[in-house]
Amino acid sequence: MEYVIEMLGIRKEFGSFVANNNITLQLKKGEIHALLGENGAGKSTLMNVLFGLYQPEAGEIKVHGKSVKITDPNVANELGIGMVHQHFMLVENFTVTENIVLGNEPTKGGTVNIKEAAKNIKALSEKYGLDVDPYAKIEDISVGMQQRVEILKTLYRGAEILIFDEPTASLTPQEIKELIEIMKRLISEGKSIILITHKLNEIMEVSDRVTIIRKGEGIGTVVTAETNPDQLAELMVGRQVEFKTEKTVANPKDEALNIENLVVLDYRGIEKVKNLNLTVRKGEIVGIAGIDGNGQSELIEAITGLRKVKSGRVTLNGQDVTNKKPRQITESGIGHIPQDRHKHGLVLDFTIGHNIALQTYYKEPISKFGIIDYKKISNKAKQIIEEFDVRTGHGETTLARALSGGNQQKAIIGREVDRDPDLLIAALPTRGLDVGAIEFIHRRLIEQRDKGKAVLLISFELDEVMNVSDRIAVIYDGQIVDTLNANETTEQELGLLMAGQSKSKAAMKGDE
Amino acid sequence: MSNRAINILVPIISVILGLIVGAIVMVVTGYDPIKGYTALWNGIFGDIYTIGETIRQITPYILAGLAVAFAFRTGLFNIGVEGQLIMGWAAAVYVGFAVEGLPKLIHLPLALLAAAAAGAFWAFIAGYLKARFSIHEVIVTIMLNYTALHIANALIKSWSGKERTENILPTASLGSTWLEEITEYSRLHWGIVIAIIMVFIMWFILERTTLGFELKAVGFNKNAAEYAGMSVKKNIILAMTISGVFAGLAGAMEALGTFGYMAIRSGFTGIGFDGIAVALLGANTPLGVVFGASLFGALKFGATNMPNAANIPLEIVSIIIALIIFFVASGYVIRIALEKFGKKKEGN
Ligand SMILES: Nc1ncnc2c1ncn2[C@@H]1O[C@H](COP(=O)(O)OP(=O)(O)OP(=O)(O)O)[C@@H](O)[C@H]1O
Ligand SMILES: [Mg+2]
C-alpha cells in the first residue's frame, strides 16, 4: 500500500517539555485518517510539524515515499498539504475571495485580478459542493461558512492532503452533517484527509483508520471498522470512560435566578431576546437547548451584565441585578464560563496563573490595599491546575496562548468553579474537550448542584443537555418555548421544539 | 530564542549596525570615522564635566521614555508626550517664579506636582476622548502637541510680556551646588534622582498593583477585561493620565533643573518624540527605558563635540545620530517580526 504521508518517529520539544515523542502516523491515499488524543496530547503540535510551522527535533517525514524537510507552510503548500486550523485565520473585513488569494494574489498588469480569482473560486466551490459566495464578507457569514472558506483556501492552493484540526468543535449539528458530506466528497475526488476531533461518533462515522496519541506518546493505529467508541476512549485516556454521567435525582430549593419578561437587543439593535421568562433554583441544573443564534448569547450577556437589558428584570437570590455592572453581578454570586474563550475568557498574553486570578486579583487574600501578592496567585493557580488537570508546559507561568485549546478551557472552568458561585452559567463548557475531560466537567457541574448551587447550562449538543440537566428549557427565537423534565423528554421532541414547532405538535410527533 | 535574549540582543545589534553605517557615511563624506567616534566618546565620557552634562541630558529622556512605555504597556500609543512635557514645563516654571515665600521643602514639591498635574491633564483629554467617543488617541495627542506649544507661548507672553519668563526662585530649583561642584560645574541637578524614583514607580504600578494588572489586561484584551468586571473606559483614561504624569515631570526637569525658565519656542523640544524611540529601544520596560534614555541622551549630547574635535559638520553628525536611531527603530521592526513569527508558532 502506498502512503501519501508518512510521519515516522516524530519528536517535538518546547524547552524542557516534550509535546511529541516518537509518534508515527501514516496516511493512505484516499482515506480519512482520524487523530485522537486527550487535550494537550500533542495533536495540533504534530499537525503543525507536518504543516511546517514547527521543526521536529527528531524523526522523518515522507511525502509520496520521498523524504522531505518542511521548513515552513509555503513548503507544505508546494507539497500539496493544506491545513484548516482549530482557530480560523481569516481577515474579518475582507471578502471570501480576498481572503483566499491573500499571499498569492493573481495579478494582471500589476493589479490584483479579483474577478478571475472569484470565478475560479466559484468553480471550485461548486465542484466540492461548498456553496460559498466569493463576494461575501467574512464578518457577515456564519462560522460554518467561514470554515468552508478555509477549506477552499487550501483547495485553491492545490492541496491534495487536507488537515482538519477540530473542524466540528464550533459547528452546529446541521453544519457538522454538511461538513461530513463535504469530506466524503473530497475523498471521492482523490484527496486524503487527516481529521482531529474529540467526538468519537464522528470518528466512527467518517474515518477509515485512527491513530491515537496519549501525553505526547504514539499509542498506535487501529482500523475504525474493527473498533468501537469504548475501546477508542480507553486507548486514548488509559482508563475506562463513562459517557453518561451518573447522577441522583435533583433536590431543588429556593429560586436562585429569576428572569421576567426580558428583552435584549443585539449589537445591531435587533431584538434577540423577546419577553423571556426563566427560573433556575438552587440544587438543580437547567439546560438551555436551542439552535445557535436564537438569543442564547444575548441572554447570557444580559444576565452577566455584559449587555444592556432593554426591559424586564433579572433577580439573583431575590436581589435585583438588572443592568448592574459585571463586577457587581459577579460578586453577588454568579460564575460564568463564557462561550468564546479567546474573546472573553482569557487574556492570551497573560500567564495562565494571572488568568486564573482574573476574577479575584483585587480581593483579599490575593491583594491588600491595591497591592497584589503574586505568590498567592501562583499558589492558587497551582492548586487549580492540579485539581482540574490543566496540562501546561511550564506550570502556572506558561502563557495562556501556549496552552492547548482544551486546557485553556479547563483553566477557565477551574477559575469559575473554584469561586463556588451560587449560580454557575456554563456556556458550551465542553466545547473542544476530550471525552475524559467532558466526563470530569460534567461531574463538577453535578457536584455544584449537589452542593445546593444553581447551574445554568447552555449547549448546542442535545446529548449534553439531556445528560447533565435536570430540567430543559428550549429556546426558540428569543423565547423559552417550553420547559421539560430531562428524563421525560426525547431527542425528537426537543428537536422539534428547537425548530419552532408548537408544543402540542411536538408532543404528538414525539409520541409517534 | 527566548524572549529575554531577544530583548537584550535587538538593541545591541541595532546600535552596532547604526555605528557601522555611521562610519561608512563618514568615510564616504571624507571624514575619519575613528576621529569622529573618538570625539563622540569624549563628548560623552571625556571628563567629569561631560559626564555630569550627559546625565543631565539623559534625565528628561528617561521620563519621556517612561511616559511612552507606560502607555504602550497598557495598549495605548501616546504621541502626545511632547505636548504634555511642554505643559508640565510651563506649569512648573509658573509655580516656580510666581509662588513666593515658601520654604524649599514645600515649594519644590509643589512645582513638581504642578508639572505632573499639567502633563496628566493634557493626557487625560486624549484618554477621555478615546474612552468616551472612541476617538483614536494618536490623532488627539498629535493635535494636542500643537495646542500645547501655542498655549505655552501665549502664557509666557502674558506672564512676562517678553520672550521668556522670569527665572524660578531658588526655593523651586532642582539645582545643587554639591552636584555642580563634584562635576566641575556642569548643570547636573537632582532631577536624575526623581527620574530613577519614577522608574521604580512605573515598575511597581505595572508589576505589583491591582491597578497595573487591570491596565495591562485592558491593554491586551478589552473583552476579557470587561468580562472580568474591569471598567475599560476608566482604565483607558487612567492609563493615559498616568502616562501624562511622567511626561509632565520630564517638563519639570527642564523647568526646575536645566533652564530655570521657559522661553517662547518656534518648534518642539523633540524630547517627547525621542521618548518614543527611547521606549522602543528599552522594550517598554522601566529598566530598558533607562538604557534607551542613556543611549539617546549620551548620543545627543556627545555629538555636539564632534564638530569641534573632529571637524565633522553638524549636518553629518545629525545624519549619523539619525542613522543610529533609524537602526534602533528598525530593530523594533525586527523584533515585531520575530515576535509575530513566534506567536504564530505558539498558536494551535
Ligand atoms: N508554543 C508552545 N510552547 C510551549 N508549550 C506548548 C506550545 N504549544 C503547545 N504546547 C504544549 O504542548 C502540549 C500539546 O499541545 P497541543 O496544542 O498539541 O495539544 P492538542 O492535542 O492539540 O490538545 P487540544 O485537544 O486541547 O487542542 C500542551 O501541553 C501545550 O501546553
Ligand atoms: Mg489542538
Side-chain angles (χ1 to χ4, degrees):
Chain A
M1 183 72 216
E2 194 210 343
Y3 293 115
V4 280
I5 297 272
E6 287 179 89
M7 302 183 79
L8 305 169
I10 301 293
R11 179 182 175 88
K12 176 68 206 163
E13 302 165 7
F14 293 112
S16 56
F17 180 79
V18 184
N20 284 167
N21 186 25
N22 196 17
I23 297 183
T24 291
L25 186 153
Q26 294 168 306
L27 178 69
K28 291 182 191 165
K29 184 163 174 56
E31 81 168 337
I32 298 183
H33 193 117
L35 182 58
L36 181 64
E38 286 178 285
N39 295 125
K43 304 178 295 294
S44 295
T45 304
L46 184 70
M47 289 304 107
N48 285 336
V49 167
L50 181 58
F51 195 55
L53 285 167
Y54 295 149
Q55 297 311 308
E57 264 73 37
E60 192 187 6
I61 300 177
K62 288 187 185 169
V63 176
H64 294 296
K66 264 210 301 277
S67 185
V68 292
K69 274 240 157 347
I70 306 178
T71 44
D72 65 68
N74 289 329
V75 178
N77 280 333
E78 277 160 30
L79 290 168
I81 302 171
M83 181 151 173
V84 178
H85 289 271
Q86 194 165 359
H87 303 107
F88 303 154
M89 302 184 169
L90 297 170
V91 184
E92 289 264 307
N93 48 4
F94 273 20
T95 65
V96 168
T97 305
E98 286 165 343
N99 266 285
I100 290 175
V101 299
L102 204 66
N104 54 353
E105 300 86 352
T107 52
K108 193 165 114 190
T111 57
V112 181
N113 190 352
I114 285 289
K115 268 221 179 97
E116 178 73 25
K119 226 172 71 199
N120 292 339
I121 288 165
K122 182 110 193 130
L124 261 181
S125 157
E126 270 161 18
K127 179 172 173 193
Y128 293 99
L130 293 172
D131 197 23
V132 170
D133 171 9
Y135 288 108
K137 271 204 178 153
I138 297 298
E139 58 195 2
D140 297 332
I141 62 180
S142 70
V143 176
M145 268 301 165
Q146 292 180 13
Q147 183 172 63
R148 292 181 187 192
V149 176
E150 288 278 7
I151 298 173
L152 267 178
K153 203 155 98 184
T154 65
L155 294 173
Y156 184 79
R157 285 163 202 208
E160 289 299 319
I161 296 133
L162 284 90
I163 305 168
F164 285 89
D165 193 350
E166 291 191 42
T168 59
S170 44
L171 297 188
T172 63
Q174 181 57 34
E175 287 171 328
I176 293 174
K177 251 189 225 150
E178 289 164 10
L179 176 67
I180 286 177
E181 285 313 308
I182 291 169
M183 287 200 282
K184 288 182 176 160
R185 188 88 163 246
L186 287 166
I187 293 299
S188 69
E189 294 283 337
K191 313 275 180 198
S192 315
I193 292 178
I194 300 178
L195 168 69
I196 300 179
T197 175
H198 289 295
K199 298 180 189 163
L200 297 176
N201 56 346
E202 288 169 7
I203 292 184
M204 295 307 297
E205 185 177 347
V206 296
S207 75
D208 300 299
R209 296 191 302 148
V210 191
T211 292
I212 297 129
I213 55 183
R214 190 195 303 158
K215 295 189 177 153
E217 307 276 341
I219 297 292
T221 301
V222 295
V223 176
T224 311
E226 293 165 10
T227 184
N228 58 56
D230 288 315
Q231 192 197 6
L232 285 177
E234 197 175 336
L235 279 173
M236 144 183 157
V237 184
R239 63 174 168 85
Q240 288 220 315
V241 178
E242 302 289 333
F243 289 101
K244 190 163 162 55
T245 318
E246 290 303 320
K247 63 174 202 271
T248 54
V249 180
N251 183 13
K253 302 206 176 63
D254 313 341
E255 265 175 28
L257 174 74
N258 187 33
I259 298 175
E260 278 169 39
N261 303 324
L262 190 72
V263 176
V264 189
L265 310 181
D266 72 359
Y267 67 101
R268 290 166 300 190
I270 296 170
E271 239 179 59
K272 268 306 176 94
V273 175
K274 307 171 179 170
N275 257 319
L276 183 140
N277 291 290
L278 179 71
T279 307
V280 185
R281 288 189 289 171
K282 290 181 181 164
E284 74 169 347
I285 301 178
V286 173
I288 295 202
I291 297 167
D292 192 10
N294 275 287
Q296 292 96 325
S297 310
E298 289 78 11
L299 170 64
I300 306 168
E301 287 175 1
I303 301 174
T304 52
L306 291 171
R307 187 179 290 280
K308 279 264 164 299
V309 170
K310 181 150 176 270
S311 63
R313 231 163 78 97
V314 181
T315 50
L316 184 70
N317 293 331
Q319 199 189 338
D320 191 344
V321 294
T322 323
N323 281 334
K324 289 263 160 60
K325 297 214 170 83
R327 174 149 304 163
Q328 288 172 304
I329 293 176
T330 308
E331 294 199 330
S332 48
I334 287 190
H336 176 196
I337 299 161
Q339 178 170 348
D340 186 336
R341 57 176 167 254
H342 284 181
K343 187 171 175 198
H344 287 115
L346 293 168
V347 179
L348 288 173
D349 293 300
F350 269 9
T351 64
I352 203 66
H354 292 192
N355 271 293
I356 284 174
L358 209 54
Q359 301 271 29
T360 45
Y361 68 93
Y362 62 93
K363 282 198 293 209
E364 289 206 41
I366 286 181
S367 66
K368 256 188 209 148
F369 310 115
I371 292 172
I372 295 181
D373 184 347
Y374 277 94
K375 190 110 200 103
K376 295 224 167 79
I377 289 191
S378 322
N379 290 340
K380 182 90 226 169
K382 278 186 191 137
Q383 173 220 320
I384 287 177
I385 285 171
E386 161 95 42
E387 195 181 329
F388 287 81
D389 190 26
V390 183
R391 313 240 171 112
T392 65
H394 305 280
E396 81 280 8
T397 59
T398 319
L399 275 191
R401 192 182 285 291
L403 253 59
S404 80
N407 282 296
Q408 292 175 341
Q409 182 72 353
K410 286 197 258 176
I412 295 173
I413 294 175
R415 173 180 77 208
E416 298 304 312
V417 170
D418 185 74
R419 286 171 32 236
D420 210 11
D422 292 335
L423 170 70
L424 179 62
I425 300 177
L428 321 185
T430 58
R431 177 194 272 191
L433 293 193
D434 66 59
V435 285
I438 291 176
E439 180 196 10
F440 175 78
I441 298 307
H442 285 172
R443 256 195 285 121
R444 293 306 300 241
L445 294 181
I446 292 166
E447 225 172 273
Q448 285 300 108
R449 176 200 82 168
D450 291 344
K451 273 204 271 183
K453 310 286 181 179
V455 178
L456 181 62
L457 168 74
I458 293 91
S459 177
F460 300 143
E461 299 196 28
L462 273 186
D463 276 0
E464 176 164 55
V465 177
M466 295 186 65
N467 242 330
V468 181
S469 327
D470 301 308
R471 286 193 302 135
I472 300 174
V474 181
I475 191 167
Y476 175 75
D477 193 23
Q479 288 183 320
I480 301 295
V481 289
D482 204 352
T483 307
L484 312 143
N485 282 329
N487 48 15
E488 287 167 10
T489 180
T490 61
E491 219 164 287
Q492 288 94 316
E493 185 183 19
L494 286 175
L496 287 168
L497 285 168
M498 280 161 55
Q501 302 262 7
S502 73
K503 186 180 169 167
S504 51
K505 261 198 202 148
M508 261 167 56
K509 293 225 173 126
D511 287 341
E512 274 169 20
Chain B
M1 212 183 314
S2 79
N3 232 342
R4 220 196 164 82
I6 294 180
N7 279 351
I8 296 171
L9 265 174
V10 168
I12 293 176
I13 292 173
S14 34
V15 169
I16 293 174
L17 277 176
L19 289 173
I20 292 172
V21 180
I24 294 172
V25 169
M26 280 190 262
V27 171
V28 169
T29 50
Y31 299 96
D32 181 355
I34 307 219
K35 247 168 119 183
Y37 283 137
T38 312
L40 179 63
W41 177 266
N42 286 336
I44 301 168
F45 301 109
D47 51 35
I48 277 285
Y49 169 81
T50 52
I51 292 178
E53 280 290 301
T54 303
I55 297 176
R56 178 193 60 74
Q57 188 84 31
I58 288 169
T59 307
Y61 282 122
I62 294 181
L63 288 160
L66 290 178
V68 178
F70 190 87
F72 254 132
R73 290 288 290 276
T74 58
L76 296 167
F77 199 15
N78 185 1
I79 308 271
V81 173
E82 180 71 32
Q84 294 143 23
L85 180 152
I86 290 174
M87 293 312 273
W89 187 338
V93 164
Y94 181 76
V95 173
F97 72 75
V99 182
E100 287 173 40
L102 291 177
K104 187 160 191 145
L105 213 61
I106 296 174
H107 197 187
L108 176 56
L110 194 68
L112 287 169
L113 214 65
F121 173 68
W122 218 239
F124 164 86
I125 299 173
Y128 178 79
L129 290 176
K130 172 156 184 134
R132 185 76 178 72
F133 303 108
S134 308
I135 306 174
H136 203 284
E137 74 274 15
V138 166
I139 297 180
V140 177
T141 50
I142 287 176
M143 297 206 294
L144 283 175
N145 282 339
Y146 289 98
T147 326
L149 180 67
H150 297 300
I151 288 182
N153 284 347
L155 284 175
I156 293 165
K157 257 211 190 102
S158 81
W159 289 335
S160 64
K162 288 188 303 232
E163 298 288 282
R164 53 160 282 188
T165 66
E166 302 167 39
N167 279 334
I168 56 164
L169 298 168
T171 47
S173 170
L174 282 166
S176 147
T177 33
W178 178 67
L179 283 177
E180 286 167 16
E181 273 168 19
I182 62 162
T183 55
E184 290 172 0
Y185 298 97
S186 75
R187 289 174 291 169
L188 185 60
H189 54 81
W190 286 121
I192 186 69
V193 178
I194 291 171
I196 297 298
I197 292 173
M198 294 312 287
V199 168
F200 173 78
I201 289 181
M202 163 161 164
W203 170 84
F204 188 79
I205 293 178
L206 284 179
E207 307 301 336
R208 284 290 170 271
T209 64
T210 52
L211 173 66
F213 189 92
E214 289 193 9
L215 293 174
K216 286 189 289 184
V218 170
F220 280 133
N221 183 349
K222 289 189 178 50
N223 293 309
E226 200 186 355
Y227 154 86
M230 304 171 190
S231 162
V232 172
K233 289 186 174 161
K234 184 187 96 187
N235 278 298
I236 288 175
I237 295 175
L238 261 177
M240 214 51 194
T241 308
I242 295 173
S243 170
V245 167
F246 292 108
L249 285 174
M253 297 303 108
E254 305 299 78
L256 312 175
T258 304
F259 294 98
Y261 62 87
M262 189 173 195
I264 285 183
R265 313 189 60 94
S266 55
F268 293 122
T269 69
I271 297 170
F273 298 119
D274 289 343
I276 298 169
V278 165
L280 296 183
L281 186 60
N284 297 317
T285 64
L287 267 183
V289 164
V290 175
F291 166 77
S294 303
L295 183 79
F296 258 76
L299 284 177
K300 278 251 151 142
F301 181 71
T304 55
N305 190 39
M306 289 169 80
N308 302 334
N311 278 326
I312 302 174
L314 206 57
E315 289 75 15
I316 303 287
V317 171
S318 304
I319 291 177
I320 295 164
I321 300 302
L323 273 173
I324 297 175
I325 296 169
F326 171 80
F327 274 94
V328 167
S330 43
Y332 178 69
V333 173
I334 296 166
R335 170 197 305 282
I336 287 188
L338 279 176
E339 275 176 1
K340 276 252 163 77
F341 191 57
K343 257 181 201 165
K344 230 199 215 151
K345 285 183 149 191
E346 279 166 24
N348 68 7

